[in-house]
């Protein structure tokens, strides 16, 4: 492990997790803008039953809030090596996964571009989940040796 200048202190932060969180932040911004534009297109071209378009747009705004918090807390938890922060980030992965699966499978109209966007986002999420669990284990082990 790398030394950070203080004698006997190791840096346990996960570089792959930090890179994934960084790029997922940018990709999520791209994803969100694309989804808004796709909903504008769908609202003008496709006939939506009842208030389903409004419900799907509201869900997109909820996703914006939760995913932004999840990425921020994940970055902070990884850099500061705090277990609770990474734990919250991992816990927030669960509802976010359900939203992406909803947009992938269960929304009223699913376009091919949405399938591609959602699958990429789910791949990011899966790798972040795995690397977050590895980081939590690493931080817990380092904490037990202190």
């Amino acid at each position: 492990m790398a030394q950070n200048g203080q004698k006997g202190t190791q840096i346990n932060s996960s570089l792959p997790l930090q890179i994934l969180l960084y790029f997922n932040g940018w990709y999520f911004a791209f994803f969100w803008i694309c989804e808004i534009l796709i909903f504008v297109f769908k609202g003008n071209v496709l006939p939506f039953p009842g208030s389903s378009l409004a419900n799907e747009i509201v869900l997109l705004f909820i996703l914006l809030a939760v995913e932004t918090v999840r990425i921020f807390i994940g970055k902070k938890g990884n850099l500061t090596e705090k277990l609770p922060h990474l734990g919250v980030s991992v816990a927030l992965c669960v509802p976010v996964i359900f939203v992406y699966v909803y947009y992938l499978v269960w929304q009223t109209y699913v376009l091919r571009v949405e399938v591609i966007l959602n699958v990429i986002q789910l791949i990011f999420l899966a790798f972040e989940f795995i690397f977050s669990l590895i980081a939590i284990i690493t931080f817990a082990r380092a904490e037990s040796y202190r």
Side-chain angles (χ1 to χ4, degrees), residues 2-141:
Q3 298 290 330
N4 71 353
Q6 295 176 354
K7 200 164 206 152
T9 304
Q10 292 182 341
I11 298 173
N12 294 319
S13 296
S14 172
L15 181 61
L17 175 60
Q18 197 66 25
I19 291 170
L20 281 168
L21 289 168
Y22 174 79
F23 285 119
N24 191 16
W26 285 104
Y27 181 75
F28 178 71
F30 171 75
F31 168 85
W32 196 82
I33 291 169
C34 286
E35 281 293 326
I36 288 293
L37 294 175
I38 289 169
F39 278 125
V40 169
F41 168 75
K42 285 192 216 180
N44 289 327
V45 175
L46 301 171
F48 271 86
S51 64
S52 65
L53 178 63
N55 291 339
E56 291 176 2
I57 292 174
V58 166
L59 186 62
L60 191 62
F61 279 95
I62 293 170
L63 177 66
L64 174 67
V66 174
E67 183 73 355
T68 304
V69 168
R70 186 190 69 79
I71 291 172
F72 174 76
I73 290 176
K75 284 181 181 179
K76 183 178 178 182
N78 184 39
L79 291 177
T80 60
E81 300 178 8
K82 302 281 184 174
L83 289 174
H85 292 38
L86 272 180
V88 168
S89 179
V90 167
L92 286 176
C93 281
V94 175
V96 169
I97 287 171
F98 284 123
V99 172
Y100 289 132
V101 170
Y102 172 80
Y103 280 128
L104 186 63
V105 179
W106 296 310
Q107 70 174 325
T108 307
Y109 298 106
V110 181
L111 303 180
R112 187 172 296 152
V113 68
E114 287 182 303
V115 170
I116 294 167
L117 290 171
N118 280 293
V119 166
I120 292 171
Q121 195 66 33
L122 283 169
I123 290 169
F124 264 116
L125 205 57
F127 279 113
E128 286 174 10
F129 185 81
I130 292 166
F131 281 111
S132 292
L133 290 178
I134 292 170
I136 287 172
I137 292 168
T138 303
F139 298 164
R141 282 186 172 174

